[in-house]
Amino acid sequence: MTTKLHPQTVVDEPSLLSFLNELEEQLQAISCTLSELAFVQYQTKRRPEGMAEAEGAQAALMSNPDYQEMIGRFAGKVDDPVLSRRVEVWLRAFRGARVTANPDVRALVNEISDAIVAHRYDVQGDELDLGGVRFLLRTEPSRERRRAAWLAFAPLSRRLDARTRELFRLRNSIAQVEGFETYAHMQMEAQGLTLPQVKAILEELSTASEPAYREVLEEGAGKQKLSSIQPWDIKFLLDGVGGLPARYFPRSGIIGRLDEWAGHHGLDLKELGISVHMLDIPYNGLCMGITPRDIRILGNWADGHNYYKTAFHELGHALHNAFSDPGSYILRREPSVFSEAMAELIGYTVQDPAWLSHVGLSASEVASAATQAMGPWFAYLRQRTAHALFEYEAYANPDADLDVLNAGIEARVLGCHFDESPRWAAEPNAWYTRYPVYWQNYVLADVVASQIHHDLRRRFGAVWRSNNALEHVRQHYWAPGGSLDWQEKLLRGTGEPLGTKALVADLSNA
Ligand SMILES: [Zn+2]
């Protein structure tokens, strides 16, 4: 299906350009097939025919030593800035594939994530799935039963502890061949970040938002008459009750609100090739860019404000995808941290007071919405921060007592008592295994989204229904794609380097 490429004939920039055009055309064709098949898999819940073949073709392309060697020779030696950027992005992609396509890594990833997905948790004699355990941690008024739910992660964590450390060591060993201290360092580089920079941002955000966090947490503890806060109280206190009235946010209204949002900004989702599909998927939402003109949002939604948040988040992914126009396929692929930020940028719509009153909330409901959102938002950011900081330490010290290490980080970041019962290797949904060094992307996405929203408000006053604000976003963040480093885009777009000030303000002004 593909013509043969001849890296040995590439001698100068023009021949490099035509080689990369052809290579990217092939990769795009394979990726398109893979996403079509993945969509079918979500619909039928069966692995469709042809999937293994397409995966094999992708792995072969991404691990071709002749391509890597030839493109590597041009590193830092190309005059044309866009071509130079393409070389850089290709070399990063090859490097990442050396870990993800490694057969031993793949075997361990499958073994561990299968065990996590299949596991059933024993809570006081009840056999529960992950959703059941999480529901208890969020809503169960009996503290003893919450504690039992918390301890239910221990048997699985003990069982997977050694194999997960092995996976960490294996990834480290490949990263070290590439010249990185640990795999976490290498993954950060692929995101256009450095590990010390990310750690500093996460610590700064925690410290600066600590007074506001303490207030929310202690208010919750006071209401529940708890004199001490244990790890199994956190989700219950922050995320358990309250929320905006579900009657304003029916499942049946979600797609209409997305279309309406687009209409207010002079856009037509159909014309952009963006479609929405209600499917029983293992996530709340998902966005698949099959081609630039076929972008599918998949939603597994119910009634409630949360699901509107997810839907607008996915719309952000879709618009980023639809308006990305860097003139090269490989440059359409941007670091996940930036993609998540672009999704959150539109996801923030559902907490905008102007939008909330537009969908029918009364003035007093709008006024209390920000306060009500704080507990769940802190739960979201702080748990992810703790997971991320733990993961970096685990890669740095894979032989340490990781239960103790994890408990120490959680106690500090979440503000609860130290409890070393094993749980790190039973981490829900196997993120450490399947999406390594990914947790910080969610936290940084909000750092970026808040920074851009503050800037847009300074420039245009309002964001909801502002075509000027949307045009600014399109021009500065979406259209250039990966032809510019994302931190550079943020600097040019907002006039300031990446910083936590705006998110800290959003978290403190409820
Ligand atoms: Zn997302």
Side-chain angles (χ1 to χ4, degrees), residues 50-118:
M51 195 113 176
E53 196 191 335
E55 282 171 351
Q58 188 182 43
L61 191 153
M62 294 307 298
S63 53
N64 184 307
D66 298 334
Y67 301 172
Q68 298 189 20
E69 195 268 332
M70 184 279 286
I71 297 173
R73 272 192 279 121
F74 282 94
K77 293 188 190 132
V78 176
D79 291 328
D80 179 82
V82 177
L83 188 60
S84 170
R85 180 85 185 143
R86 281 168 80 176
V87 166
E88 193 186 316
V89 173
W90 264 108
L91 292 174
R92 267 186 196 172
F94 285 141
R95 187 185 278 149
R98 262 165 243 161
V99 179
T100 50
N102 178 289
D104 297 333
V105 170
R106 285 172 63 174
L108 264 173
V109 166
N110 289 337
E111 177 196 319
I112 297 166
S113 50
D114 287 353
I116 292 179
V117 171

Side-chain angles (χ1 to χ4, degrees), residues 313-314 317 339-340 343 438 442:
H313 174 100
E314 302 307 334
H317 278 305
S339 301
E340 292 302 344
Y438 198 94
Y442 294 110

Side-chain angles (χ1 to χ4, degrees), residues 432-478:
Y432 297 143
T433 301
R434 290 192 296 171
Y435 307 101
V437 198
Y438 198 94
W439 282 114
Q440 72 286 336
N441 290 342
Y442 294 110
V443 181
L444 294 178
D446 284 5
V447 169
V448 174
S450 282
Q451 184 172 336
I452 295 178
H453 267 271
H454 280 235
D455 174 66
L456 293 174
R457 282 202 295 272
R458 257 193 312 269
R459 285 171 202 271
F460 308 107
V463 177
W464 155 239
R465 289 199 209 198
S466 165
N467 287 347
N468 292 335
L470 190 76
E471 178 52 24
H472 185 87
V473 167
R474 191 196 63 75
Q475 205 180 326
H476 286 86
Y477 306 113
W478 293 341

